[in-house]
C-alpha cells in the first residue's frame, strides 16, 4: 500500500496528536506513514500522498510551524501535480474564520496542482473535546477512497 506523509501544523499540540492518532489508524489498515510536524519544503517529496492536519491560529492563520512551508510554496510555486492530499482542520467555531488555516492551505495546494481526495474534515473543538474522535471516524472513510 501507499506511504502517506502526514504534515501537521500546531500551536498547542492538538494537530500533532490528531496526526499521530490518524497515522496509527492508517498503519493498522496496512499503510505506511511518515509524520512531519512543521516541515520545510525540502523535507517533502513533490509527489505522493499527503495528509495535512492543522489547527488555526489567530484570525484564520496557519500555526507558526507551518507558516514557513506555506510561504515557501507561495514564493517558489513548485509543481505539485503529482501530489494527492487529504485535509483536516482544527478550530473553534466561536471565531469568525473557523478552520481558516486548513482552507487557505488547501487552496494553495490546489493552486499548485495538487489534487484533493475526499472532503476536508473540520473539527470544532467546542463540539469535540477530544479532536482525535471525529478524526478517527473521518480517516476510516478517507482511507477507503485511496
Amino acid at each position: 500500500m501507499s506511504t502517506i506523509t502526514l504534515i501537521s501544523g500546531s500551536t498547542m499540540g492538538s494537530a500533532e496528536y490528531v496526526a499521530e492518532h490518524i497515522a496509527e489508524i492508517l498503519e493498522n489498515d496496512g499503510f505506511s506513514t511518515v509524520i512531519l510536524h512543521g516541515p520545510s519544503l525540502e523535507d517533502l517529496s513533490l509527489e505522493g500522498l499527503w495528509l495535512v492536519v492543522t489547527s488555526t491560529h489567530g484570525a484564520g492563520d496557519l500555526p507558526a510551524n507551518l507558516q514557513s512551508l506555506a510561504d515557501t510554496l507561495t514564493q517558489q510555486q513548485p509543481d505539485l501535480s503529482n501530489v494527492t492530499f487529504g485535509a483536516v482542520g482544527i478550530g473553534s467555531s466561536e471565531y469568525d474564520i473557523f478552520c481558516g488555516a486548513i482552507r487557505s492551505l488547501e487552496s494553495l495546494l490546489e493552486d499548485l496542482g495538487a489534487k484533493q481526495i475526499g472532503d476536508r474534515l473540520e473539527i470544532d473543538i467546542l463540539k469535540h473535546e477530544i479532536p482525535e474522535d471525529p478524526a478517527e471516524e473521518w480517516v476510516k472513510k478517507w482511507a477507503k477512497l485511496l
Side-chain angles (χ1 to χ4, degrees), residues 34-104:
V34 174
I35 303 174
L36 301 172
H37 300 301
S40 67
L41 185 58
E42 293 77 29
D43 296 329
L44 296 166
S45 171
L46 300 184
E47 59 184 27
L49 184 53
W50 297 357
L51 181 49
V52 183
V53 181
T54 187
S55 59
T56 296
H57 175 73
D61 301 320
L62 286 165
N65 72 335
L66 207 51
Q67 185 62 55
S68 62
L69 173 62
D71 291 344
T72 302
L73 289 170
T74 300
Q75 292 163 1
Q76 294 185 9
Q77 297 283 304
D79 177 10
L80 298 183
S81 60
N82 291 317
V83 171
T84 53
F85 73 97
V88 176
I90 302 169
S92 171
S93 60
E94 69 186 349
Y95 291 96
D96 293 338
I97 307 175
F98 172 63
C99 285
I102 194 62
R103 292 177 190 184
S104 66

